[in-house]
Amino acid sequence: MVGPDYTVCRVAVARTLPLRRAVLRPHLPADEPYLPPDATASSTVAFAALDGQGEVIGVAVLTPDEPPFGRPDGGAWRLRGMAVAPEHRSRGIGGALLDAHVAHVAGLGGGILWCNARIAARGLYERGGMSAWGEVFEEPLIGPHIVMWRRVGADGAARAPAADAGPWSA
Ligand SMILES: CC(C)(COP(=O)(O)OP(=O)(O)OC[C@H]1O[C@@H](n2cnc3c(N)ncnc32)[C@H](O)[C@@H]1OP(=O)(O)O)[C@@H](O)C(=O)NCCC(=O)NCCS
């Protein structure tokens, strides 16, 4: 069987910025800097999918951040900046990036993984074991979003929301 022609690996956050800007902030004027808060946080972890030439074709980052529904214990990590180059979509790269971040959270002992998901990307996160929380909300200039979340066990397995009290109130 032929495997995927890309690899997913950890990279410096700075390497994620050009693709994030192109895919997620196309409306930004060319002379406006793009510096999301995770880019300067030393605790941010980034993964990228690289093609055979080492070009970045998919990215996402993980940064410690409390979810909007609060958390009773353990760590909480926010997934941000998920972007795959248009010509490489629907080949499993987004799913592989999500898996890499889940594995990273598991390696840290597990915790809450959450994101503000674009509505069009909801299926990607659901396939990764995440559930929606709260109402759809509008991000100005970007569009409708919904909070998606899951618990990650130290073994990387999803922890069914039914087994917990959550999402719980802050
Ligand atoms: C959302 C996004 C990151 C998904 O990346 P991706 O690499 O296309 O993700 P995947 O390939 O894992 O999954 C996407 C689709 O491909 C399908 N797919 C996955 N692996 C596949 C494979 N090997 N062969 C064919 N199809 C496959 C999935 O079933 C999925 O279909 P669906 O979304 O219609 O249900 C990408 O579309 C993107 O960058 N979009 C614009 C920015 C954006 O919305 N980012 C998310 C912000 S929250």
Side-chain angles (χ1 to χ4, degrees):
M1 197 174 98
V2 178
D5 56 357
Y6 61 86
T7 53
V8 172
C9 60
R10 197 162 159 184
V11 295
V13 183
R15 259 187 108 184
T16 69
L17 295 178
L19 186 62
R20 289 169 67 182
R21 182 188 183 112
V23 170
L24 299 169
R25 297 290 185 275
H27 54 275
L28 280 185
D31 59 351
E32 189 174 321
Y34 176 56
L35 200 64
D38 58 79
T40 50
S42 59
S43 46
T44 299
V45 167
F47 285 88
L50 308 179
D51 70 9
Q53 283 71 52
E55 293 293 321
V56 173
I57 57 174
V59 293
V61 308
L62 195 63
T63 193
D65 197 1
E66 185 146 339
F69 44 81
R71 64 187 159 103
D73 53 39
W77 295 83
R78 178 175 174 182
L79 188 67
R80 297 186 63 143
M82 172 73 80
V84 172
E87 64 275 25
H88 293 287
R89 289 179 192 162
S90 294
R91 295 167 52 213
I93 295 174
L97 285 164
L98 182 54
D99 288 349
H101 288 85
V102 168
H104 187 81
V105 172
L108 296 171
I112 300 290
L113 178 66
W114 70 279
C115 67
N116 287 336
R118 295 183 183 206
I119 291 299
R122 183 172 170 161
L124 171 74
Y125 299 112
E126 284 175 341
R127 281 191 297 281
M130 298 174 79
S131 304
W133 176 84
E135 304 294 325
V136 172
F137 61 95
E138 194 74 15
E139 285 272 9
L141 297 175
I142 302 175
H145 284 66
I146 191 156
V147 172
M148 303 288 297
W149 78 287
R150 63 171 277 185
R151 292 202 81 168
V152 178
D155 56 1
R159 292 284 178 256
D164 302 304
W168 39 89
S169 299

